[in-house]
Amino acid sequence: MKKYNFIKQLKQLPKQSQRRFTPNAGTLQANIQQSPDQTDPTGDINAQVQQLAQQLADQIVAEQQQTNIISNSGKTYTTFNSVEDIVDKQTQIVTAGLWSDNQGLLDTFYTASSQTNSQRRYYVDVYQKSPQETGSAVQFACAFGHVLGSGSSNANDDPASKAVYAQYKQLLLEKDASRFVTAGSGSTEYIYVVNVQRNRMKEQLDAGNWQLPLSTISSSRATNATGSVLLSGSAKTFTFIDDSSVSSGTETSSGRVYNIVSGSIDNGIYNSANPIYYGLFYPKYGSIVLDGKMLDQDLDFTTNLNSNSEGNNHFALFHSISGSFGANSQAFEARNQETVTSTHYFVRIKNGNYNFSNNPSFTTGSVGEFAQTTFVGDPKTYITTIGLYNNSQELLAVAKLSKPLLKNFSKEALIRVKLDF
């Protein structure tokens, strides 16, 4: 900043004024005599000094303001005020369609011939497109489990249905539990399972936002079907949901568990005063566990419970789901859910800040003149991107504006950057 020497400035006053500073009584008297209209020459001198001081002070303030403008306008970084500019730990529950491309409805179902016979003994993967098509991906799997291994062959002393039941029991039930217990039939020896592909769930399935269609199938258990099965026109279709709309569920080591009941997303639980229970829903694991006894009773599944018999019961479940849309236009509806934690950064841009650019197109010539003469005294920039840096000026995140934002000395801006985790 320029230093000012008041003494030097005073020496630049007219000589007459300088003589009035001379400590000589005779000279002072002479001056008084030469100025009969001035009754207080000392006051006149003080007024001139004050006027000069005010001019110098105004000049200093103006130059300081100009320096600040140049300094602020040339900023590359601005430090956030952690109290006023940053709001962290904001949580929000976000849901999205469960199936590929964030679709909430699934009405086409395919199996893959690439799945080996050994795999097919335990489960069948279900795709939304033919596996040969681009974008085809596994959506969910169907499985059947029996506590003693019925409905499966005893090849290699490893009944597939027994392994499936044991697997889900270990995954979903408490340590001391030996059987699945539903409100429909009590302790059940055999279960049908719809298990959603893990990468579709995010954190979990959205309770109260899924609807599973099942149609009566009698004895359809073909393992060579690769597309949706069209059931006969006489097939009845039921839809199932969880009871989270009327119950808070039960907290277990596997997370909160809800009952599966007859009903629909749009109309809620069928006969809510006396609902019919069909199984258990585990949103954290994306598992819909259906009571085999109830499916035999109400949907004519006629589960194969013979020992050492490859019953292919899980394919019966696949046919029941896939045939529902063809028979009665009922799709498998579902959404996933996740809790998103956000931090909000409020970027405050004052009128004197960020009005110049280091883009080469902003200036021209060897001395860096403005490329546009209209920028002299009134530069303009457009803000398109905001970068978030750490204390070492390392770029951590980038936020893009939807459109360029005009910035000059007459405009200020407040931009909120939301960073999700």
Side-chain angles (χ1 to χ4, degrees), residues 183-200:
S185 67
S187 177
T188 180
E189 296 179 341
Y190 56 105
I191 57 174
Y192 288 84
V193 181
V194 174
N195 211 103
V196 173
Q197 186 75 356
R198 182 65 188 88
N199 61 359
R200 311 215 166 278

Side-chain angles (χ1 to χ4, degrees), residues 196-399:
V196 173
Q197 186 75 356
R198 182 65 188 88
N199 61 359
R200 311 215 166 278
M201 290 170 45
K202 295 186 178 178
E203 285 185 4
Q204 62 179 44
L205 292 189
D206 188 14
N209 256 331
W210 64 271
Q211 176 180 305
L212 174 68
L214 293 177
S215 291
T216 54
I217 57 171
S218 297
S219 59
S220 178
R221 281 163 176 72
T223 62
N224 59 350
T226 58
S228 298
V229 176
L230 298 179
L231 305 177
S232 66
S234 60
K236 296 180 180 180
T237 300
F238 297 76
T239 57
F240 302 90
I241 59 175
D242 61 62
D243 66 348
S244 60
S245 60
V246 297
S247 170
S248 59
T250 303
E251 190 63 41
T252 70
S253 59
S254 300
R256 196 160 294 275
V257 182
Y258 299 94
N259 291 307
I260 297 174
V261 294
S262 177
S264 65
I265 294 176
D266 292 337
N267 300 317
I269 299 173
Y270 173 73
N271 190 17
S272 58
N274 188 26
I276 303 175
Y277 298 98
Y278 287 88
L280 300 167
F281 170 53
Y282 297 83
K284 182 179 177 181
Y285 288 89
S287 298
I288 299 172
V289 179
L290 298 164
D291 187 338
K293 294 179 181 179
M294 297 301 298
L295 298 188
D296 283 347
Q297 174 182 302
D298 292 347
L299 281 84
D300 301 328
F301 263 51
T302 59
T303 302
N304 184 328
L305 298 177
N306 296 325
S307 60
N308 196 21
S309 173
E310 205 64 73
N312 294 316
N313 291 311
H314 48 302
F315 277 91
L317 178 60
F318 165 71
H319 293 320
S320 179
I321 296 172
S322 64
S324 295
F325 190 79
N328 292 292
S329 300
Q330 292 291 341
F332 191 172
E333 303 180 39
R335 297 183 69 83
N336 54 35
Q337 173 187 309
E338 65 176 335
T339 301
V340 177
T341 301
S342 304
T343 297
H344 301 273
Y345 295 89
F346 291 90
V347 181
R348 308 177 195 276
I349 308 172
K350 296 184 178 181
N351 68 308
N353 294 346
Y354 297 97
N355 296 315
F356 297 91
S357 173
N358 56 8
N359 190 301
S361 64
F362 200 75
T363 59
T364 186
S366 59
V367 295
E369 296 179 343
F370 286 122
Q372 301 293 328
T373 57
T374 56
F375 283 2
V376 177
D378 185 25
K380 295 179 177 64
T381 60
Y382 285 88
I383 299 173
T384 61
T385 306
I386 295 173
L388 300 181
Y389 294 77
N390 61 15
N391 292 333
S392 300
Q393 282 77 53
E394 296 172 328
L395 182 62
L396 303 180
V398 173

Side-chain angles (χ1 to χ4, degrees), residues 7 13 20 39 72 81-82 93 112 127 131 133 138 143 163 174 186-187 219-220 239 299 320 323 333-334 346 369 375:
I7 300 300
L13 291 174
R20 290 171 182 166
T39 58
N72 289 335
N81 183 317
S82 59
I93 295 177
Y127 298 74
E133 290 187 52
V138 176
E174 304 296 340
S187 177
S219 59
S220 178
T239 57
L299 281 84
S320 179
E333 303 180 39
F346 291 90
E369 296 179 343
F375 283 2

Side-chain angles (χ1 to χ4, degrees), residues 393-409:
Q393 282 77 53
E394 296 172 328
L395 182 62
L396 303 180
V398 173
K400 294 283 188 179
L401 275 67
S402 58
K403 62 180 181 179
L405 178 66
L406 175 62
K407 182 68 185 67
N408 56 33
F409 284 116

Side-chain angles (χ1 to χ4, degrees), residues 60-75:
I60 292 171
V61 171
E63 292 192 3
Q64 286 179 335
Q65 291 176 341
Q66 186 64 23
T67 300
N68 287 336
I69 288 174
I70 295 174
S71 175
N72 289 335
S73 297
K75 280 185 176 179

